Amino acid sequence: MNTKVKLKEVYEIKQQYKAFYTGGTVAWKSDGQQFLCLNNGTISIVSIDNLHEPVTLGEQQTDSEITEDIIYTFAIDSTGASIVSGHRSGLLKLWDGETHTVQKMWKTMHQGPISRLVFNPSDSVIASGGADSTIRLWDPMGQVCHGTLRGCEGMINVIVFHPDADSKILVAVGDDTKIRAWNYESRKLIKTFEGHFSRVTGVSFSEDRTHIVSSGRDKILILWNFESQQAVKTIPVYEALESVLVLPAGIKIGDIKLKKGKVYAACGGEDGLVKVWEMTKAKIIYKQSNSLVAKAPEEGGLAITHLFYSEPLARMTVVSADHNIFVHGCESFECVHQLSGFSDEILDLVLLGKHNRYLAMATNSNDFKVYDTSTMNCQLVKGHTDIVMSLAANDRYLLSSSKDHSIRLWSFGEEPFTIECVAIGLKHTNVVGCVTMSQHSGSLCASVSQDRCLKTWKIPKKIKPETEGELPRLLCSLTELAHEKDINCVCISPNDRLIATGSQDKTAKLWDASDLSVVGVFRGHTRGIWAVRFSPVDQILLTNAADCCIKLWSLEDMTCLKTLEGHDSSVLRVEFLSNGMQLLSAGADGLLKLWSIKTSECVQTLDRHENRIWALCVTRDESAFYSGGSDSQLIQWHDVTESKRQQELDQRKETLLQEQELSNLLSERKLLKALRLALNLDRPLSTLKIVNEVIKTQEQGLEDTVRKLSNDHKERLLRHAVEWNTNSKNCRSAQLALHVLLQETLAGRFQVSELNKHLEASLPYTERHFKRLTEYMKDLKFVEYSLHCMQPHATKME
């Protein structure tokens, strides 16, 4: 082993990527730069470029007995200056959009939860719709209810204000099939639109305000004349729609310019495609061909849930049911931003590209994600038809495996990042749980499956392009029925000659890569093995299992060299560090541990995950690593060993200089200056010596010096004084310091964080000192009296 390798000692969090959208209400700020998303009962504000950490509104630190006052829905005004949120408690809270603080709050009087909140165009009225079938109108400045609109049935699902604020019209939809319009000033129901046969999901006004377009789960779009309440056009779209949006004339959608005088409606639903209809002719003028939203798995399911259009940016946003947000440039309809709101369970991570710039992530999804680690912008990669289970990469390719019984080979390019599937392997008959690629030659990959087979595949130097829409097939070179139970993991040795597998049958096996003959079997674990790894420098194999153990095995004689125990639950993943001298392990209890192999000791335990950690990947230079798991968190950790060492050295130098200065001040008899320095160094004994010297020399100015001290230094002096007070020899110094500090406290110049605790510690000793001094005084007086009585007799004797 290379002993010059600097061992890691401390890792710290550099960045923590949590979920920011878990379903429900989404809003796009009018300037198009930020999204507001509902996130587990709070509101997350995330920038469109995803560079800044999301701001969270509505987080409350509460006792375990008190349920959090979660947010059900919210709305943002037209300027983005105010946000109103509806809470479980029935409260409405008005937040400042800049400072993110609550400005006002009031009770809504709805019976049951609030389902919709909307500002009117002039931001002078807020409409709240609830599960009690009523809509209430509020003045946000005075928190006064202007009135209640009744007539809907069931929960209020859609509320839309007429775009002209002067019209005082509000349109709303409940759980029934009717669209109703009120004059909200007079609170009269003025219009009812009947034509849908199922729940209405969206309503949008035309530019000239004479028409509205509605979408529904009954798979139709309807163009209504707003004045006559008649359906001008009913268009069957053959998919359940969730959102409809009337687009302004003059803009280009997919290189088609929208003409004036016509009504164009963009809609999205279970097909996962954005379609733009010219409503009067019932004609599709644009159908999205590059959709990143998967079609709903069953009829009537969800795919696209929201559509937004931003005039300043001329862009359209699509929000999908699996919590992804896609921003498309309207003219070409290319996706310019992808935001992943919620990753569900992170199953695997792998770094790829030069300088490990890109991070591929497999989650509980048919698509895997590739993040640019410099901006954390996300790209969804589609191809598999079931959940992606495992990822592996080398300099040229990325390999993925899935529950759809296949493996796929992807070629990627950088700046800009592009990725495409170049080949597919289809020989497995069950879920392909793990794949690995050779790093040495790059011509070999291996896969293991729940069909208990180990397969090796040949990666050709040149891959033929796909013909007639079919992908080229990867050639399966060898197959072996490897274990008696499901195989969890596979790994290729650094020289490409050996392959290791680990299984639920509690064994790991070593295979010759050339013919898949068994080289050795490793027995010793008492539970299923989750991962196997070859040491980068030694002839050692590492295995970790559900029995909470990590074992190191010799590849020469197949014996167990070491067993590392420290995890309290299953060890799910382990990686080698520092040229094979250290290990990084991840457990089912959410703990990460850094180990030294030489001492078999755990150097550091990292506790930030809340559940199982399935995935670990380390950068090439080992300066950072990423972890992800069941808590949907992706955490980037970085090595701060050197900076911590330097910090300690600097601190030690500073302390030595201060100690030298303290001894100089004491030798020069500058006691009061030395007092401040002794407190800065937190030296109780030096401080005591200085106070004793001040008392002995009767030097003036101690009270003034203490008064000028900072609050932290005063608190240190109080701590020291309480400590000195425990010894009768030092009681005079202690009582003098306590007297000055208590005067400072009474004058309001000294705030103590734990005054009661300090007083409780000093009172018993102070009482004891007082009693002792009282006895001394009595004895002294008695001696004085005795001397006084003896004096006349002394003179007679003379």
Side-chain angles (χ1 to χ4, degrees), residues 670-719:
K670 293 178 181 176
L671 300 173
L672 297 175
K673 277 188 179 179
L675 177 67
R676 192 188 296 267
L677 203 54
L679 288 169
N680 200 37
L681 289 165
D682 201 10
R683 298 284 166 81
L685 187 60
S686 300
T687 314
L688 177 63
K689 283 177 182 173
I690 292 163
V691 174
N692 282 336
E693 200 65 34
V694 168
I695 293 166
K696 197 186 289 181
T697 56
Q698 296 185 347
E699 191 174 331
Q700 300 298 310
L702 181 66
E703 285 190 28
D704 290 336
T705 305
V706 172
R707 194 171 292 136
K708 287 173 187 173
L709 291 174
S710 69
N711 208 71
D712 286 348
H713 284 164
K714 284 178 185 174
E715 200 152 336
R716 276 183 193 171
L717 183 57
L718 178 61
R719 263 200 340 267

Short mmCIF file of all heavy atoms in Angstrom, two decimals, residues 670-719:
data_model
loop_
_atom_site.label_atom_id
_atom_site.label_comp_id
_atom_site.label_asym_id
_atom_site.label_seq_id
_atom_site.Cartn_x
_atom_site.Cartn_y
_atom_site.Cartn_z
N LYS A 670 0.61 44.64 34.02
CA LYS A 670 -0.59 45.24 33.42
C LYS A 670 -1.75 44.26 33.63
O LYS A 670 -2.15 43.53 32.72
CB LYS A 670 -0.37 45.52 31.94
CG LYS A 670 0.68 46.61 31.70
CD LYS A 670 0.91 46.83 30.22
CE LYS A 670 1.97 47.90 29.99
NZ LYS A 670 2.28 48.08 28.55
N LEU A 671 -2.26 44.28 34.87
CA LEU A 671 -3.18 43.22 35.31
C LEU A 671 -4.54 43.29 34.61
O LEU A 671 -5.10 42.25 34.23
CB LEU A 671 -3.37 43.29 36.83
CG LEU A 671 -2.08 43.11 37.66
CD1 LEU A 671 -2.35 43.36 39.13
CD2 LEU A 671 -1.53 41.71 37.46
N LEU A 672 -5.08 44.50 34.47
CA LEU A 672 -6.44 44.60 33.92
C LEU A 672 -6.48 44.25 32.43
O LEU A 672 -7.45 43.69 31.94
CB LEU A 672 -7.01 46.00 34.17
CG LEU A 672 -7.17 46.34 35.67
CD1 LEU A 672 -7.62 47.77 35.86
CD2 LEU A 672 -8.17 45.39 36.34
N LYS A 673 -5.41 44.57 31.68
CA LYS A 673 -5.32 44.16 30.27
C LYS A 673 -5.18 42.64 30.18
O LYS A 673 -5.73 41.98 29.30
CB LYS A 673 -4.11 44.82 29.60
CG LYS A 673 -4.40 46.23 29.11
CD LYS A 673 -3.21 46.73 28.29
CE LYS A 673 -3.50 48.14 27.76
NZ LYS A 673 -2.36 48.66 26.99
N ALA A 674 -4.41 42.09 31.13
CA ALA A 674 -4.19 40.64 31.15
C ALA A 674 -5.48 39.89 31.46
O ALA A 674 -5.69 38.77 30.98
CB ALA A 674 -3.13 40.29 32.18
N LEU A 675 -6.37 40.52 32.25
CA LEU A 675 -7.65 39.87 32.61
C LEU A 675 -8.47 39.56 31.36
O LEU A 675 -9.00 38.45 31.21
CB LEU A 675 -8.43 40.79 33.56
CG LEU A 675 -9.83 40.29 33.98
CD1 LEU A 675 -9.71 39.04 34.83
CD2 LEU A 675 -10.60 41.36 34.73
N ARG A 676 -8.57 40.54 30.46
CA ARG A 676 -9.34 40.35 29.22
C ARG A 676 -8.76 39.21 28.39
O ARG A 676 -9.49 38.38 27.85
CB ARG A 676 -9.32 41.65 28.43
CG ARG A 676 -10.31 41.71 27.27
CD ARG A 676 -10.06 42.95 26.46
NE ARG A 676 -10.30 44.16 27.22
CZ ARG A 676 -11.46 44.81 27.24
NH1 ARG A 676 -12.49 44.33 26.56
NH2 ARG A 676 -11.60 45.91 27.94
N LEU A 677 -7.44 39.14 28.31
CA LEU A 677 -6.77 38.10 27.52
C LEU A 677 -6.95 36.72 28.14
O LEU A 677 -7.16 35.72 27.45
CB LEU A 677 -5.29 38.45 27.38
CG LEU A 677 -4.54 37.84 26.20
CD1 LEU A 677 -5.22 38.14 24.88
CD2 LEU A 677 -3.10 38.32 26.18
N ALA A 678 -6.88 36.65 29.49
CA ALA A 678 -7.08 35.36 30.19
C ALA A 678 -8.49 34.84 29.96
O ALA A 678 -8.71 33.63 29.80
CB ALA A 678 -6.81 35.54 31.68
N LEU A 679 -9.47 35.76 29.93
CA LEU A 679 -10.86 35.35 29.66
C LEU A 679 -11.00 34.89 28.21
O LEU A 679 -11.74 33.96 27.93
CB LEU A 679 -11.82 36.51 29.95
CG LEU A 679 -12.03 36.84 31.43
CD1 LEU A 679 -12.76 38.16 31.58
CD2 LEU A 679 -12.79 35.73 32.15
N ASN A 680 -10.31 35.56 27.30
CA ASN A 680 -10.35 35.18 25.89
C ASN A 680 -9.80 33.77 25.69
O ASN A 680 -10.31 33.00 24.88
CB ASN A 680 -9.55 36.19 25.08
CG ASN A 680 -9.92 36.18 23.61
OD1 ASN A 680 -11.09 36.00 23.28
ND2 ASN A 680 -8.95 36.34 22.74
N LEU A 681 -8.75 33.42 26.45
CA LEU A 681 -8.16 32.08 26.38
C LEU A 681 -8.93 31.06 27.21
O LEU A 681 -8.63 29.86 27.16
CB LEU A 681 -6.71 32.13 26.87
CG LEU A 681 -5.70 32.82 25.93
CD1 LEU A 681 -4.41 33.12 26.67
CD2 LEU A 681 -5.42 31.95 24.73
N ASP A 682 -9.90 31.56 28.00
CA ASP A 682 -10.72 30.70 28.88
C ASP A 682 -9.83 29.92 29.86
O ASP A 682 -9.90 28.69 29.95
CB ASP A 682 -11.58 29.75 28.04
CG ASP A 682 -12.79 29.22 28.82
OD1 ASP A 682 -13.04 29.74 29.93
OD2 ASP A 682 -13.46 28.29 28.34
N ARG A 683 -9.00 30.67 30.63
CA ARG A 683 -8.10 30.08 31.62
C ARG A 683 -8.54 30.49 33.02
O ARG A 683 -8.20 31.59 33.49
CB ARG A 683 -6.65 30.57 31.38
CG ARG A 683 -6.08 30.19 30.03
CD ARG A 683 -5.69 28.70 30.05
NE ARG A 683 -5.43 28.19 28.73
CZ ARG A 683 -4.29 28.35 28.07
NH1 ARG A 683 -3.31 29.05 28.60
NH2 ARG A 683 -4.14 27.82 26.88
N PRO A 684 -9.29 29.64 33.71
CA PRO A 684 -9.79 30.01 35.06
C PRO A 684 -8.67 30.31 36.05
O PRO A 684 -8.78 31.24 36.85
CB PRO A 684 -10.59 28.78 35.50
CG PRO A 684 -10.88 28.03 34.26
CD PRO A 684 -9.77 28.32 33.32
N LEU A 685 -7.56 29.53 36.01
CA LEU A 685 -6.48 29.70 36.98
C LEU A 685 -5.76 31.03 36.78
O LEU A 685 -5.49 31.76 37.74
CB LEU A 685 -5.49 28.54 36.88
CG LEU A 685 -4.40 28.49 37.96
CD1 LEU A 685 -5.00 28.37 39.35
CD2 LEU A 685 -3.44 27.33 37.70
N SER A 686 -5.47 31.38 35.50
CA SER A 686 -4.80 32.65 35.21
C SER A 686 -5.69 33.82 35.64
O SER A 686 -5.20 34.80 36.21
CB SER A 686 -4.51 32.75 33.71
OG SER A 686 -3.68 31.71 33.31
N THR A 687 -6.98 33.70 35.36
CA THR A 687 -7.93 34.77 35.75
C THR A 687 -7.94 34.93 37.26
O THR A 687 -7.95 36.05 37.77
CB THR A 687 -9.35 34.42 35.23
OG1 THR A 687 -9.27 33.98 33.88
CG2 THR A 687 -10.27 35.61 35.29
N LEU A 688 -7.93 33.81 37.98
CA LEU A 688 -7.93 33.85 39.45
C LEU A 688 -6.67 34.54 39.99
O LEU A 688 -6.75 35.40 40.88
CB LEU A 688 -8.03 32.42 40.00
CG LEU A 688 -7.96 32.25 41.52
CD1 LEU A 688 -9.14 32.95 42.21
CD2 LEU A 688 -7.94 30.79 41.90
N LYS A 689 -5.52 34.20 39.41
CA LYS A 689 -4.26 34.81 39.85
C LYS A 689 -4.29 36.32 39.64
O LYS A 689 -3.82 37.09 40.48
CB LYS A 689 -3.09 34.20 39.08
CG LYS A 689 -2.69 32.82 39.59
CD LYS A 689 -1.58 32.24 38.74
CE LYS A 689 -1.20 30.82 39.22
NZ LYS A 689 -0.23 30.19 38.30
N ILE A 690 -4.86 36.75 38.50
CA ILE A 690 -4.93 38.18 38.19
C ILE A 690 -5.83 38.90 39.19
O ILE A 690 -5.48 39.95 39.73
CB ILE A 690 -5.41 38.39 36.73
CG1 ILE A 690 -4.35 37.89 35.75
CG2 ILE A 690 -5.74 39.85 36.47
CD1 ILE A 690 -4.85 37.67 34.34
N VAL A 691 -7.02 38.32 39.48
CA VAL A 691 -7.97 38.94 40.43
C VAL A 691 -7.33 38.99 41.82
O VAL A 691 -7.45 40.00 42.54
CB VAL A 691 -9.32 38.19 40.43
CG1 VAL A 691 -10.24 38.74 41.52
CG2 VAL A 691 -10.00 38.29 39.07
N ASN A 692 -6.65 37.92 42.23
CA ASN A 692 -5.96 37.90 43.55
C ASN A 692 -4.90 38.99 43.62
O ASN A 692 -4.74 39.66 44.64
CB ASN A 692 -5.30 36.53 43.79
CG ASN A 692 -6.31 35.49 44.22
OD1 ASN A 692 -7.38 35.82 44.75
ND2 ASN A 692 -6.01 34.23 43.97
N GLU A 693 -4.17 39.18 42.50
CA GLU A 693 -3.11 40.20 42.47
C GLU A 693 -3.71 41.60 42.56
O GLU A 693 -3.16 42.48 43.21
CB GLU A 693 -2.31 40.03 41.17
CG GLU A 693 -0.93 40.67 41.19
CD GLU A 693 0.00 40.02 42.19
OE1 GLU A 693 -0.09 38.79 42.41
OE2 GLU A 693 0.81 40.76 42.77
N VAL A 694 -4.87 41.79 41.89
CA VAL A 694 -5.57 43.09 41.94
C VAL A 694 -5.98 43.40 43.38
O VAL A 694 -5.83 44.52 43.86
CB VAL A 694 -6.81 43.08 40.99
CG1 VAL A 694 -7.71 44.28 41.25
CG2 VAL A 694 -6.37 43.07 39.54
N ILE A 695 -6.51 42.38 44.08
CA ILE A 695 -6.93 42.55 45.47
C ILE A 695 -5.72 42.87 46.35
O ILE A 695 -5.75 43.76 47.21
CB ILE A 695 -7.66 41.29 45.97
CG1 ILE A 695 -9.01 41.11 45.24
CG2 ILE A 695 -7.90 41.35 47.48
CD1 ILE A 695 -9.64 39.75 45.41
N LYS A 696 -4.60 42.13 46.12
CA LYS A 696 -3.40 42.29 46.95
C LYS A 696 -2.81 43.69 46.80
O LYS A 696 -2.42 44.34 47.76
CB LYS A 696 -2.38 41.23 46.56
CG LYS A 696 -1.27 41.03 47.61
CD LYS A 696 -0.21 40.07 47.11
CE LYS A 696 -0.73 38.64 47.07
NZ LYS A 696 0.34 37.71 46.60
N THR A 697 -2.74 44.16 45.51
CA THR A 697 -2.12 45.47 45.26
C THR A 697 -3.11 46.61 45.41
O THR A 697 -2.73 47.78 45.28
CB THR A 697 -1.54 45.51 43.82
OG1 THR A 697 -2.58 45.19 42.89
CG2 THR A 697 -0.39 44.53 43.67
N GLN A 698 -4.40 46.23 45.66
CA GLN A 698 -5.48 47.22 45.81
C GLN A 698 -5.55 48.16 44.60
O GLN A 698 -5.76 49.37 44.72
CB GLN A 698 -5.30 48.02 47.11
CG GLN A 698 -5.42 47.15 48.35
CD GLN A 698 -5.36 47.94 49.63
OE1 GLN A 698 -4.98 49.11 49.64
NE2 GLN A 698 -5.72 47.31 50.73
N GLU A 699 -5.35 47.57 43.41
CA GLU A 699 -5.41 48.36 42.18
C GLU A 699 -6.85 48.74 41.85
O GLU A 699 -7.77 47.92 41.99
CB GLU A 699 -4.80 47.54 41.02
CG GLU A 699 -4.58 48.38 39.77
CD GLU A 699 -3.86 47.59 38.69
OE1 GLU A 699 -3.07 46.68 39.02
OE2 GLU A 699 -4.08 47.89 37.51
N GLN A 700 -7.05 49.97 41.43
CA GLN A 700 -8.40 50.45 41.11
C GLN A 700 -8.73 50.12 39.64
O GLN A 700 -7.84 49.96 38.82
CB GLN A 700 -8.46 51.98 41.32
CG GLN A 700 -8.17 52.44 42.73
CD GLN A 700 -9.17 51.88 43.73
OE1 GLN A 700 -10.37 51.98 43.53
NE2 GLN A 700 -8.69 51.27 44.80
N GLY A 701 -10.03 50.07 39.33
CA GLY A 701 -10.46 49.93 37.94
C GLY A 701 -10.97 48.56 37.55
O GLY A 701 -11.25 48.31 36.37
N LEU A 702 -11.07 47.63 38.53
CA LEU A 702 -11.57 46.28 38.19
C LEU A 702 -13.02 46.35 37.70
O LEU A 702 -13.38 45.72 36.71
CB LEU A 702 -11.45 45.35 39.40
CG LEU A 702 -11.93 43.91 39.17
CD1 LEU A 702 -11.03 43.20 38.17
CD2 LEU A 702 -11.97 43.11 40.47
N GLU A 703 -13.83 47.15 38.41
CA GLU A 703 -15.25 47.26 38.02
C GLU A 703 -15.40 47.84 36.63
O GLU A 703 -16.20 47.37 35.83
CB GLU A 703 -16.01 48.13 39.04
CG GLU A 703 -16.28 47.40 40.35
CD GLU A 703 -17.22 48.16 41.27
OE1 GLU A 703 -18.05 48.92 40.74
OE2 GLU A 703 -17.11 47.98 42.48
N ASP A 704 -14.60 48.88 36.31
CA ASP A 704 -14.67 49.48 34.98
C ASP A 704 -14.23 48.50 33.90
O ASP A 704 -14.80 48.44 32.82
CB ASP A 704 -13.77 50.73 34.92
CG ASP A 704 -14.34 51.88 35.75
OD1 ASP A 704 -15.56 51.87 35.97
OD2 ASP A 704 -13.56 52.74 36.19
N THR A 705 -13.20 47.72 34.20
CA THR A 705 -12.70 46.73 33.23
C THR A 705 -13.78 45.67 32.96
O THR A 705 -14.03 45.32 31.80
CB THR A 705 -11.43 46.04 33.77
OG1 THR A 705 -10.47 47.03 34.08
CG2 THR A 705 -10.85 45.07 32.74
N VAL A 706 -14.41 45.16 34.01
CA VAL A 706 -15.48 44.15 33.84
C VAL A 706 -16.64 44.74 33.07
O VAL A 706 -17.24 44.08 32.21
CB VAL A 706 -15.93 43.61 35.22
CG1 VAL A 706 -17.16 42.73 35.07
CG2 VAL A 706 -14.81 42.84 35.89
N ARG A 707 -16.97 46.00 33.33
CA ARG A 707 -18.10 46.65 32.64
C ARG A 707 -17.85 46.73 31.13
O ARG A 707 -18.77 46.62 30.34
CB ARG A 707 -18.31 48.04 33.24
CG ARG A 707 -19.65 48.68 32.86
CD ARG A 707 -19.92 49.96 33.63
NE ARG A 707 -20.13 49.68 35.05
CZ ARG A 707 -19.61 50.39 36.05
NH1 ARG A 707 -18.84 51.42 35.79
NH2 ARG A 707 -19.84 50.08 37.30
N LYS A 708 -16.59 46.94 30.75
CA LYS A 708 -16.25 47.08 29.32
C LYS A 708 -16.12 45.74 28.59
O LYS A 708 -15.97 45.71 27.37
CB LYS A 708 -14.93 47.85 29.19
CG LYS A 708 -15.09 49.34 29.51
CD LYS A 708 -13.74 50.02 29.52
CE LYS A 708 -13.85 51.46 30.01
NZ LYS A 708 -12.53 52.08 30.19
N LEU A 709 -16.14 44.65 29.33
CA LEU A 709 -16.03 43.33 28.70
C LEU A 709 -17.25 43.03 27.85
O LEU A 709 -18.36 43.51 28.10
CB LEU A 709 -15.89 42.23 29.77
CG LEU A 709 -14.59 42.18 30.58
CD1 LEU A 709 -14.71 41.12 31.68
CD2 LEU A 709 -13.38 41.88 29.71
N SER A 710 -17.07 42.15 26.82
CA SER A 710 -18.22 41.70 26.01
C SER A 710 -19.07 40.73 26.83
O SER A 710 -18.62 40.21 27.85
CB SER A 710 -17.72 41.00 24.75
OG SER A 710 -17.11 39.77 25.10
N ASN A 711 -20.28 40.51 26.37
CA ASN A 711 -21.21 39.63 27.10
C ASN A 711 -20.63 38.21 27.26
O ASN A 711 -20.78 37.58 28.30
CB ASN A 711 -22.55 39.57 26.37
CG ASN A 711 -23.70 39.29 27.32
OD1 ASN A 711 -24.07 40.14 28.12
ND2 ASN A 711 -24.23 38.08 27.29
N ASP A 712 -19.94 37.72 26.20
CA ASP A 712 -19.34 36.37 26.25
C ASP A 712 -18.25 36.30 27.32
O ASP A 712 -18.17 35.32 28.08
CB ASP A 712 -18.73 36.00 24.89
CG ASP A 712 -19.79 35.65 23.87
OD1 ASP A 712 -20.95 35.48 24.28
OD2 ASP A 712 -19.45 35.57 22.68
N HIS A 713 -17.41 37.35 27.38
CA HIS A 713 -16.34 37.38 28.38
C HIS A 713 -16.90 37.47 29.80
O HIS A 713 -16.38 36.84 30.73
CB HIS A 713 -15.40 38.55 28.11
CG HIS A 713 -14.47 38.29 26.96
ND1 HIS A 713 -13.78 39.28 26.32
CD2 HIS A 713 -14.13 37.13 26.33
CE1 HIS A 713 -13.04 38.75 25.36
NE2 HIS A 713 -13.24 37.45 25.34
N LYS A 714 -17.99 38.24 29.96
CA LYS A 714 -18.63 38.34 31.29
C LYS A 714 -19.17 36.98 31.71
O LYS A 714 -19.07 36.59 32.88
CB LYS A 714 -19.77 39.36 31.25
CG LYS A 714 -19.29 40.81 31.24
CD LYS A 714 -20.48 41.76 31.14
CE LYS A 714 -20.01 43.21 31.01
NZ LYS A 714 -21.11 44.14 30.78
N GLU A 715 -19.75 36.26 30.72
CA GLU A 715 -20.30 34.94 31.04
C GLU A 715 -19.19 33.96 31.43
O GLU A 715 -19.36 33.14 32.34
CB GLU A 715 -21.09 34.40 29.83
CG GLU A 715 -22.06 33.32 30.22
CD GLU A 715 -23.27 33.23 29.29
OE1 GLU A 715 -23.63 34.22 28.64
OE2 GLU A 715 -23.86 32.15 29.27
N ARG A 716 -18.03 34.09 30.77
CA ARG A 716 -16.89 33.24 31.14
C ARG A 716 -16.41 33.57 32.56
O ARG A 716 -16.10 32.67 33.34
CB ARG A 716 -15.74 33.47 30.15
CG ARG A 716 -15.88 32.63 28.90
CD ARG A 716 -14.70 32.81 27.99
NE ARG A 716 -14.99 32.25 26.69
CZ ARG A 716 -14.22 32.39 25.63
NH1 ARG A 716 -13.10 33.11 25.72
NH2 ARG A 716 -14.54 31.85 24.47
N LEU A 717 -16.34 34.86 32.87
CA LEU A 717 -15.91 35.28 34.21
C LEU A 717 -16.87 34.76 35.26
O LEU A 717 -16.45 34.30 36.34
CB LEU A 717 -15.81 36.81 34.27
CG LEU A 717 -15.31 37.42 35.58
CD1 LEU A 717 -13.94 36.88 35.96
CD2 LEU A 717 -15.29 38.93 35.52
N LEU A 718 -18.18 34.77 34.94
CA LEU A 718 -19.18 34.25 35.88
C LEU A 718 -18.96 32.75 36.10
O LEU A 718 -19.00 32.26 37.23
CB LEU A 718 -20.59 34.51 35.34
CG LEU A 718 -21.76 33.98 36.17
CD1 LEU A 718 -21.78 34.61 37.56
CD2 LEU A 718 -23.09 34.23 35.47
N ARG A 719 -18.69 32.03 35.01
CA ARG A 719 -18.42 30.59 35.11
C ARG A 719 -17.19 30.33 35.97
O ARG A 719 -17.19 29.44 36.82
CB ARG A 719 -18.21 29.99 33.71
CG ARG A 719 -19.43 29.35 33.13
CD ARG A 719 -19.18 28.36 32.01
NE ARG A 719 -17.92 28.42 31.33
CZ ARG A 719 -17.70 29.11 30.21
NH1 ARG A 719 -18.66 29.83 29.69
NH2 ARG A 719 -16.52 29.09 29.63
#
